[in-house]
Amino acid sequence: MSDARSPEVLPAGPDGVLVRFGLTPDPDAMAAAQVLAAELQDDAPAAAVEIAPALVSVLVRFDPGRTDRGAVARDLAARAERIAAARPVLPDPPRRWTIPAAFGGDHGPQLAEVAEKLGMSEDRAVQQICEADLRVLAIGFAPGQPYIGLLPRAWNLPRLAEMTPNVPVGAVVVAVRQIVIFGAASTTGWRQVARTGFRTFVPDRETPMLLKAGDAIRYAPIGAAEIEGLMTPDGMGGARLEILR
Amino acid sequence: MSRLTISRADGLLSVQDMGRPGHLGQGLSCGGAMDRMALIEAAALLGADTPLAAIEMAGAGGVFGVDAPMRVALTGAPMAAFLDDAPLRWHGCHLILPGQALRIGGVDSGVYGYLTPAGGIATPEWLGSRAAHLSIGIGALLDSGDDLPCGEDPDPDRPARVIEPAVRFGGGTLRVMDGPQTGLFADDVLEAFYAAGFRRGQRANRQGILVQTGKGCFTSDHAAGLASDVIGPGDVQLTGEGVPFVLMAECQTMGGYPRIGRVIPADLPRIAQAAEGAALRFQRLDASQADALWRDDAALLREAAGRCRNLIREPSTIADLLSYQLVGGVTAGRELEDE
């Protein structure tokens, strides 16, 4: 079975090959998947038509009219083994987003519960989120919706057995050392700790889906009253983007 | 630009084309027609080079009109169709004139019928496609009174044609290729899954289709704690209880449930068109067997064009036979000698 040091290269549909560094969201496997995805973005295999990174795997779709599965699989296996053997850490982010978010209170109704489980004050919990070296680990489930991580080990909180029926658009929710920003009102088993005016998906915006796997994310805490002013039609929510390399 | 008017919408109607591939990394699945073969067969009938944007009609059609002469193809699940009072052949293309009413009733078999104008529906594109992607708020269901722009018919005088459709409207066998998570299922679970008979369940939409069996459930010991992974149309995903769903055009892009394999593209129209209760079985293929069955859309279109022929109407079925000028174009037959 796969672990971060022995990646598997597997058929994934009629025009896909998947490289998988693990079965569970293990930090080493995540780092290896990010490194491979970053390398493939710059230097894709011949006849690759799409690179889609997931948490611990990367899917490469190819054009079966121009290459064959074996050639793609051999190329990917060589890269994956080289990367896994190097025991990589997360690659340096190409870009960094600073996203204003209002924590606690009405905008983060479960922050108190999270802080209690972590045995710390709400302020300390917010500080840990804002100081963590966070990356977009993958985009998925819904358009533009990021899986962000990893929070410190203590944040390995399970999903709730009881679903929260409705968190609003822009809800910032946590579970299993990860953060999700919801792009639409949703039902969720994750705990809402904050809300942002940043919209991960706006269909008629020039770039409908803004975030990419590998982007660094930094939250900037704002007061509860400030968020209304940041609910702008462009869905940027006051977020700032820096290009790092 | 000519227009296709929906005087009445009876089924769930939406604009669909071949979707918008290439955005998995941004969380957007390809979407597009549930029965892609229906768009390919429509293109073959109309003589188009590539599949066109069409109206997908789930369950039933409606009443349609045009403001300029326009050929339309009727493909996918067979539905009762009339032009004013004259019955129209399904799996065919026909000329519609302004003032005529095209009435499309409920499905005879299958689920999704398609109405394709010869110039294609020409609504604005979003990320290179006109397909409604209802689950994320792109486009909307069509309603009575809607009026859709269409490209000009490049050849309105081309004769009516019919096609022998690919067989897919009554359930049957779905070929499934092994995928990244097939190995997470024990051999006896795989064996039981591929031996079982299934029926299409009640829950089915553009995101996924439930398939049911009385022969147990199919769970994986590795399901708990599995990292979410990329999913796609055709994936046979087993819920926590081991109940299979076949993911379809509008599925999400990442999922945490294990998948036993993927229905190959050639058989996706068959599951899309399986009506509730239709009998289904799964047949296991390894990757090399599945790869040998792969065809691109251009090859499928060439193959579909070979199944088309001109519509020859039986004189006995033509109500107003005497109004036709049956001997038009008859000459002495010496044109070639005169050249």
Side-chain angles (χ1 to χ4, degrees), chain B residues 206-284:
Chain B
R206 290 181 43 79
Q207 290 181 277
I209 296 174
L210 171 67
V211 288
Q212 292 173 304
T213 179
K215 298 281 194 278
C217 44
F218 310 95
T219 52
S220 161
D221 295 341
H222 299 278
L226 209 54
S228 291
D229 208 346
V230 185
I231 57 178
D235 277 353
V236 184
Q237 191 175 52
L238 282 301
T239 66
E241 295 82 44
V243 176
F245 272 87
V246 181
L247 302 181
M248 298 303 290
E250 258 180 48
C251 67
Q252 284 149 349
T253 60
M254 299 247 275
Y257 290 124
R259 294 154 288 139
I260 214 162
R262 179 177 288 202
V263 176
I264 65 170
D267 291 348
L268 268 182
R270 187 183 288 271
I271 175 72
Q273 295 288 14
E276 187 184 342
L280 297 163
R281 301 192 80 83
F282 295 99
Q283 180 193 342
R284 186 175 179 183

Side-chain angles (χ1 to χ4, degrees), chain B residues 26-339:
Chain B
Q26 282 92 50
L28 176 64
S29 58
C30 176
M34 286 288 277
D35 178 358
R36 298 165 77 85
M37 177 53 75
L39 295 192
I40 287 168
E41 290 181 342
L45 282 164
L46 295 163
D49 297 337
T50 55
L52 300 160
I55 299 179
E56 179 176 276
M57 304 176 286
V63 182
F64 306 87
V66 297
D67 70 350
M70 187 189 291
R71 289 173 305 140
V72 300
L74 304 173
T75 58
M79 295 169 153
F82 294 87
L83 187 57
D84 291 333
D85 294 323
L88 290 182
R89 279 277 292 273
W90 201 261
H91 307 303
C93 70
H94 309 276
L95 181 67
I96 314 295
L97 300 174
Q100 290 182 318
L102 170 63
R103 299 169 196 281
I104 300 177
V107 282
D108 294 331
S109 60
V111 178
Y112 294 97
Y114 293 83
L115 166 61
T116 310
I121 306 253
T123 46
E125 293 187 347
W126 182 70
L127 299 183
S129 162
R130 301 182 165 93
H133 196 118
L134 301 170
S135 58
I136 58 165
I138 299 302
L141 288 176
L142 301 172
D143 207 351
S144 306
D146 282 351
D147 189 13
L148 300 171
C150 297
E152 295 303 325
D153 185 341
D155 192 3
D157 297 328
R158 202 176 144 112
R161 289 163 73 75
V162 290
I163 187 167
E164 189 62 42
V167 176
R168 61 188 188 278
F169 304 111
T173 299
L174 306 171
R175 291 165 291 180
V176 175
M177 86 180 265
D178 284 355
Q181 295 173 320
T182 307
L184 305 187
F185 291 87
D187 288 344
D188 58 329
V189 174
L190 287 168
E191 224 164 88
F193 178 81
Y194 284 106
F198 292 86
R199 291 199 177 274
R200 205 215 82 179
Q202 197 178 5
R203 292 172 61 194
N205 58 29
R206 290 181 43 79
Q207 290 181 277
I209 296 174
L210 171 67
V211 288
Q212 292 173 304
T213 179
K215 298 281 194 278
C217 44
F218 310 95
T219 52
S220 161
D221 295 341
H222 299 278
L226 209 54
S228 291
D229 208 346
V230 185
I231 57 178
D235 277 353
V236 184
Q237 191 175 52
L238 282 301
T239 66
E241 295 82 44
V243 176
F245 272 87
V246 181
L247 302 181
M248 298 303 290
E250 258 180 48
C251 67
Q252 284 149 349
T253 60
M254 299 247 275
Y257 290 124
R259 294 154 288 139
I260 214 162
R262 179 177 288 202
V263 176
I264 65 170
D267 291 348
L268 268 182
R270 187 183 288 271
I271 175 72
Q273 295 288 14
E276 187 184 342
L280 297 163
R281 301 192 80 83
F282 295 99
Q283 180 193 342
R284 186 175 179 183
L285 303 181
D286 64 27
S288 61
Q289 290 170 310
D291 288 345
L293 294 166
W294 184 84
R295 301 282 180 277
D296 66 16
D297 289 345
L300 293 173
L301 181 51
R302 282 193 300 277
E303 181 271 330
R307 290 187 271 121
C308 293
R309 58 187 167 77
N310 286 349
L311 175 61
I312 309 209
R313 298 176 72 190
E314 279 289 320
S316 63
T317 67
I318 303 175
D320 52 349
L321 184 63
L322 293 179
S323 70
Y324 284 76
Q325 192 198 347
L326 295 173
V327 291
V330 172
T331 69
R334 280 201 290 271
E335 302 87 340
L336 295 176
E337 298 166 25
D338 291 345
E339 281 292 318

Side-chain angles (χ1 to χ4, degrees), chain A residues 11 41 60 74 132 136 194 229 243:
Chain A
Q41 297 296 352
V60 176
R74 280 190 298 278
V136 175
I243 307 297

Side-chain angles (χ1 to χ4, degrees), chain A residues 20 23 50 57 69 141 144 203, chain B residues 22-24 26 126 180 227 229 291:
Chain A
R20 185 168 68 198
L23 286 176
E50 182 160 24
S57 61
R69 180 179 303 285
F141 191 71
Chain B
H23 305 286
L24 283 178
Q26 282 92 50
W126 182 70
D229 208 346
D291 288 345

